[in-house]
Amino acid sequence: MKSGYDLVVIGGGTAGLVSAAGAASLGARTALVERDKLGGDCLYRGCVPTKTLVKSARVAHLVRHSEEYGVKSGRVAVDFPAVMDRMRRVIDAAGVHDSPERFRELGVDVFLEGARFEAPDLVAVDGRRLKTRSAIVATGSHPTAPPIEGLEEAGYLTNVGALELRRLPRSIIIVGSGPIGSEFAQIFARFGSEVTMISSSSLPLPKEDLEVGEILRGVLLADGVTFHGGYRAEGVRVEGTEKVMTVRNEAGNEIEVRGEELLIATGRAPTAGGLALENAGIEIEAKGLKVDEHLRTTAPNVYAAGDITGKYLFTHVAEYQARNALRNALFPVKAKVDHRVVPWTTFTDPEVARVGLTEEQARAQHDFVKVFRQAFDEVDRAMPNGEKTGLVKIVTGRRGKILGGHIIGPDAGNLIHEIVLAMQGNIPIQALSTMIHVYPTLSQANQRAADNYYREKLFTDRTRKVFSIFFGTRRLLQRG
Ligand SMILES: Cc1cc2nc3c(=O)[nH]c(=O)nc-3n(C[C@H](O)[C@H](O)[C@H](O)COP(=O)(O)OP(=O)(O)OC[C@H]3O[C@@H](n4cnc5c(N)ncnc54)[C@H](O)[C@@H]3O)c2cc1C
């Protein structure tokens, strides 16, 4: 082990791994400190396991509906332990690149212990002190629970416990209808649990465009989820093998819901316990570490990346921020982070993808807003696929400038990137219409939505009149 590092990275999730690998590849003396296993939330408790379950749930759903495709199948039986075994195998396979050995081979000193600041340039690890020029804090976030009377006594799951279940619950109450709550609701419903969702907002995915939330609610109901929108959880007690939760809406109506299990998916908080941030002069706020546009914390040589910054809690953002933090931590010329065009996806079926402003946000911030839509039930590829639910919705400002894109539909997480690139490159919606798209593909939904821009501009009564005068005059001239 060396003493005197160029960079000490604390936290071995996505942000930490990207930072450490990048720094070592650039020839910097790098240490990576992780108190659990390298890989972090995405690998063990987030993206990878949930997307594996999403796939199993889709297969169950598809088999149940196979006759719609002319394929007969028997009674569907979800073998939950087998599903969870597959999930663990996928985690193992996805995690091979995150082993301490691989990072050591890259030249990183890996410490599998908790880290603690003694000073901005001094990190204590297992009785050792790592002296460093710069540091990156990448310690992520953890689930939180709202104040609900009796919650601790009754016991509850978060994403962590839900992914450790050995038996499929007969019934489950899910509190929270953000991405995590919505994905789990559909997963458990398709596996065969009776799912009751409690959402303080009237629609699921409250941060998304209202039209999108409306469609997703319909999808969840069709999957058998009972959705109580506009209700807050007040208290919970145990009765026999069930948890009984009292929920109330704004009008004061109170109902009781029951479930064998209770999953709380209402929010996340920054993980900073044990870091002794005060020893380094690093300030923390409710959502995350206080950082500037260079991701620099209030300690001049300490940067932050990933969920700990409290900004856009997604793996792709953690990776993007890590690249910036790494560059700024190692070199004197500082790059600014640019969070203007950040896409994300909720992996329900259909998926919900989004970039930029919702229609409501755009109307609040801009005086000129136009919205162009294309429903998937009119898209040629969606019809043979039997995946006709959803729409593409593109929100524009003046001269076709794209302010936001919203897709609820098949493969939305992939389809959104065309709109992301357009926004990033300041390419107006017209280009999505004139660009040749392969037939028949789902991405034609983007093109058809954009076609409406021209349809609105060109196919008006006025242009029809002007053109018919032009054609009439040309016919007259040709006769003469
Ligand atoms: C259920 C669920 C599903 C998700 N699905 C998606 C998805 O589909 N797509 C997507 O983009 N995002 C998804 N996310 C979010 C994604 O998982 C996070 O945004 C991402 O993991 C953040 O990475 P990170 O490196 O900031 O933090 P983490 O991955 O949490 O890593 C932080 C690491 O720091 C370590 N650590 C903490 N304190 C210390 C300390 N004092 N000393 C040493 N080590 C420490 C922790 O042990 C941990 O390994 C999901 C999250 C959840 C919960």
Side-chain angles (χ1 to χ4, degrees):
M1 301 283 170
K2 304 132 195 164
S3 65
Y5 288 99
D6 295 303
L7 184 68
V8 170
V9 178
I10 306 176
T14 303
L17 294 176
V18 170
S19 304
S25 309
L26 289 167
R29 276 188 165 191
T30 309
L32 172 61
V33 191
E34 164 58 55
R35 68 181 177 189
D36 189 359
K37 286 185 282 188
L38 295 188
D41 253 19
C42 183
L43 179 60
Y44 294 107
R45 298 167 287 271
C47 335
V48 175
T50 53
K51 266 74 272 181
T52 310
L53 298 185
V54 160
K55 184 66 188 185
S56 293
R58 279 185 194 194
V59 171
H61 182 76
L62 189 62
V63 177
R64 244 175 236 132
H65 291 83
S66 71
E67 290 199 13
E68 287 171 24
Y69 299 83
V71 179
K72 283 198 180 350
S73 55
R75 202 181 69 82
V76 176
V78 173
D79 180 349
F80 189 70
V83 165
M84 299 306 262
D85 276 348
R86 175 173 181 269
M87 181 192 79
R88 286 183 281 273
R89 285 198 304 276
V90 172
I91 293 174
D92 288 345
V96 287
H97 299 298
D98 298 346
S99 69
E101 295 72 37
R102 179 175 165 258
F103 277 79
R104 287 183 181 125
E105 277 165 24
L106 288 174
V108 178
D109 286 346
V110 179
F111 299 88
L112 294 175
E113 297 290 340
R116 183 173 175 280
F117 280 100
E118 287 198 352
D121 60 352
L122 208 56
V123 177
V125 183
D126 189 25
R128 254 179 292 231
R129 286 165 150 186
L130 311 181
K131 178 94 179 141
T132 186
R133 206 179 154 80
S134 304
I136 293 178
V137 182
T139 47
S141 64
H142 58 272
T144 55
I148 299 171
E149 213 185 308
L151 186 63
E152 294 305 323
E153 297 80 359
Y156 62 97
L157 303 171
T158 63
N159 60 300
V160 181
L163 295 169
E164 288 168 354
L165 284 172
R166 298 272 155 189
R167 193 176 58 77
L168 181 69
R170 272 189 325 279
S171 53
I172 183 164
I173 306 168
I174 299 183
V175 181
S177 67
I180 296 174
S182 295
E183 285 182 11
F184 271 119
Q186 192 177 50
I187 289 168
F188 281 115
R190 287 185 170 188
F191 284 168
S193 298
E194 205 177 282
V195 178
T196 306
M197 250 180 131
I198 309 300
S199 164
S200 57
S201 58
S202 59
L203 294 173
L205 301 185
K207 290 191 182 153
E208 302 303 339
D209 197 276
L210 292 177
E211 261 176 276
V212 164
E214 194 72 63
I215 296 171
L216 185 65
R217 186 175 59 158
V219 168
L220 292 174
L221 294 181
D223 274 316
V225 173
T226 303
F227 184 82
H228 292 293
Y231 280 85
R232 283 187 186 279
E234 297 219 315
V236 61
R237 62 181 191 279
V238 176
E239 270 183 21
T241 57
E242 282 188 328
K243 301 185 200 293
V244 184
M245 178 168 262
T246 313
V247 301
R248 186 191 292 267
N249 69 5
E250 274 199 359
N253 297 328
E254 194 179 280
I255 49 175
E256 274 190 355
V257 295
R258 293 169 174 268
E260 191 191 348
E261 290 288 356
L262 168 61
L263 169 62
I264 303 286
T266 47
R268 318 255 322 154
T271 302
L275 282 173
L277 296 173
E278 62 286 358
N279 292 344
I282 301 169
E283 283 176 40
I284 185 162
E285 295 170 333
K287 290 206 154 184
L289 297 188
K290 195 170 168 185
V291 290
D292 67 11
E293 57 197 8
H294 306 294
L295 294 173
R296 195 199 318 237
T297 67
T298 45
N301 66 323
V302 181
Y303 293 77
D307 282 11
I308 188 70
T309 66
K311 297 182 203 319
Y312 303 102
L313 310 190
F314 301 106
T315 296
H316 45 281
V317 177
E319 181 175 341
Y320 166 75
Q321 290 182 341
R323 290 184 190 167
N324 271 267
L326 154 69
R327 176 175 160 178
N328 292 340
L330 293 180
F331 300 109
V333 179
K334 309 291 179 200
K336 284 187 192 171
V337 276
D338 181 356
H339 288 127
R340 279 175 305 174
V341 184
V342 178
W344 62 84
T345 297
T346 300
F347 293 87
T348 45
D349 175 21
E351 294 176 358
V352 178
R354 181 249 179 98
V355 59
L357 303 180
T358 62
E359 181 180 347
E360 300 76 45
Q361 289 170 330
R363 291 198 188 284
Q365 293 174 28
H366 295 264
D367 55 358
F368 182 91
V369 172
K370 285 257 174 207
V371 176
F372 302 99
R373 296 179 178 79
Q374 175 61 56
F376 276 98
D377 61 4
E378 291 167 353
V379 175
D380 281 5
R381 186 56 196 268
M383 293 183 210
N385 284 358
E387 295 174 322
K388 296 182 294 182
T389 303
L391 89 167
V392 170
K393 176 170 176 180
I394 304 178
V395 182
T396 63
R398 289 193 193 281
R399 290 180 290 282
K401 183 182 169 67
I402 302 176
L403 302 174
H406 308 274
I407 307 179
I408 173 165
D411 220 10
N414 281 319
L415 297 183
I416 197 74
H417 289 98
E418 187 175 6
I419 304 175
V420 176
L421 184 63
M423 284 184 73
Q424 182 88 29
N426 248 320
I427 299 168
I429 189 171
Q430 295 89 310
L432 299 187
S433 172
T434 53
M435 180 184 132
I436 300 174
H437 289 67
V438 171
Y439 178 87
T441 57
L442 293 171
S443 67
Q444 284 186 310
N446 289 339
Q447 185 178 28
R448 299 281 175 260
D451 285 347
N452 291 327
Y453 177 88
Y454 282 120
R455 194 159 292 132
E456 212 173 77
K457 275 231 167 336
L458 291 179
F459 304 150
T460 60
D461 284 347
R462 194 167 158 271
T463 51
R464 207 170 296 120
K465 267 186 206 144
V466 171
F467 282 138
S468 68
I469 292 168
F470 164 77
F471 291 127
T473 314
R474 198 168 64 175
R475 281 194 302 271
L476 274 178
L477 290 174
Q478 276 169 348
R479 246 181 266 156

